[in-house]
Amino acid sequence: MLATCTACNSVYAARQWPDGEIKIIGQDRCSCGSTDFELVDDSADGTESDAG
């Protein structure tokens, strides 16, 4: 998955744990120091998977 830092919008490879927590892979925090991330929504790629 991809996650973006909520402070500076840097993008990282990440995992979402079963409890919903998002952790970036290979680091504890963003280069800006933030530890708050949200998943990047990649469903807006021009295709409709739920059409109907």
Side-chain angles (χ1 to χ4, degrees), residues 1-5 9-15 22-24 37-40:
M1 298 185 167
L2 292 178
T4 184
C5 173
N9 294 323
S10 293
V11 178
Y12 294 92
R15 287 188 173 169
I22 300 167
K23 292 280 195 177
I24 59 174
F37 299 92
E38 59 184 33
L39 294 178
V40 173

Side-chain angles (χ1 to χ4, degrees), residues 26-47:
Q27 297 178 352
D28 292 331
R29 60 188 63 207
C30 179
S31 59
C32 76
S34 177
T35 58
D36 192 22
F37 299 92
E38 59 184 33
L39 294 178
V40 173
D41 181 10
D42 63 354
S43 65
D45 64 359
T47 59

